[in-house]
Structures are given as C-alpha cells and as structure tokens.
Amino acid sequence: YHLDGAHPGVRADYQRFAKLKLNVSVLANSGCSRGASLSIMVAGFYAPELATPSFTISASTPAQSVPSGNPVTINIAAKDDGKAAPGTVVEMEVWDESHKPVNKQNKANENFAPGETKTYEFLWTPTKAGKYTISVGVYGPKWTPSYSWNQEIVTITVH
C-alpha cells in the first residue's frame, strides 16, 4: 500500500507492507523529495527482501568542448552492485546552464544480474552554445523506485 502527498515546501510518503507488518513514513521539508524511494530504502533496511538494487554509474564524452550542431556521444556505464534488477530503466538527461532539461533519453526493460555492468551510448546534437551537464538515473520497472540518481556527472561546453 502506498500513499503520498505534497503541499508547497513539504512532502509526505507512507508505505505499508502488510505481510511484513512494516510501515514506513517519510516527511520532508522539500517539495521535490523522493519520498517513495526513501521509504523503500528504509524498508529494505528492516526487511532485506525489500532492499532495492544499488548501482555505480560513470559517464564520459569523447571531448569536453564541442561545436554546436555536431552530434555528441555520451557513454554511460551502469554497474549493478549486487542484487538482480530486472526491468530496469537507465535514463540520460542533458541540462542547460539554467538547470532545465534539454534532452532526455532512456533504455527500458534492461535486466541486470548481480555485479553486472552494462554500457550505453546516447547521441545528442546540441543546437546552441553554452555549458551543459549530464545526469543519469537508474530506476526500477515503470520508473519506480529510483535506484540511483547521479546529477551533473559530466560537463560539456558547446561553442
């Protein structure tokens, strides 16, 4: 059972795992809190069968500075740190200097074995000059829960 709610500046999430006799509530002073992910992480501490997989993420580009209009290859490596993760979604996001997303791409239905590393190549063609950052998320099936969020792990300057 899952229930969440928000009011400007605050957020609440409640997860009930009836068969395990476990309830978890997360209260946050942030409207953008990932309460559902946090409550599942806490539940996994008390009930290991609920623990979410963890991932180590790395990203790279062939060059840190590129001309506008030329495609950029963004290489992502996602390593499952120990628990099988079927139906995983790996998402790559490009953000501009004002912290707005300008490109999002993903690979869905990826099946990770414990300890497995998978690599991905995403192509993005910048259309204007500026400084951009790459963020990568790894999620469970249908985008929930969040297994890993890696903000601004690569910076690209477009000229």
Side-chain angles (χ1 to χ4, degrees):
Y1 175 79
H2 173 251
L3 176 68
D4 69 355
H7 186 72
V10 295
R11 181 150 181 90
D13 187 78
Y14 172 78
Q15 298 273 349
R16 180 175 180 215
F17 305 94
K19 289 181 182 178
L20 298 171
K21 298 181 182 176
L22 176 65
N23 299 314
V24 177
S25 295
V26 173
L27 307 173
N29 288 332
S30 172
C32 63
S33 170
R34 294 179 181 235
S37 295
L38 287 173
S39 62
I40 291 172
M41 285 174 51
V42 170
F45 180 76
Y46 293 100
E49 63 269 29
L50 296 175
T52 58
S54 63
F55 282 82
T56 301
I57 304 298
S58 63
S60 64
T61 58
Q64 299 298 311
S65 181
V66 298
S68 180
N70 286 5
V72 176
T73 301
I74 301 160
N75 299 299
I76 307 293
K79 180 182 184 282
D80 181 319
D81 290 330
K83 184 176 182 180
T88 299
V89 178
V90 177
E91 179 188 38
M92 182 280 308
E93 299 182 358
V94 179
W95 294 65
D96 67 14
E97 291 175 280
S98 64
H99 302 288
K100 293 183 182 168
V102 296
N103 185 275
K104 292 183 180 187
Q105 299 176 44
N106 69 75
K107 300 287 185 182
N109 298 317
E110 295 293 303
N111 296 313
F112 283 86
E116 182 177 13
T117 299
K118 292 188 177 201
T119 58
Y120 303 91
E121 227 180 60
F122 294 100
L123 264 161
W124 167 62
T125 303
T127 57
K128 68 179 198 176
K131 183 177 173 183
Y132 296 86
T133 57
I134 308 299
S135 297
V136 178
V138 182
Y139 306 92
K142 299 182 183 177
W143 298 86
T144 189
S146 174
Y147 296 153
S148 179
W149 175 247
N150 303 268
Q151 194 164 340
E152 300 180 357
I153 58 175
V154 172
T155 301
I156 301 170
T157 301
V158 178
H159 50 86

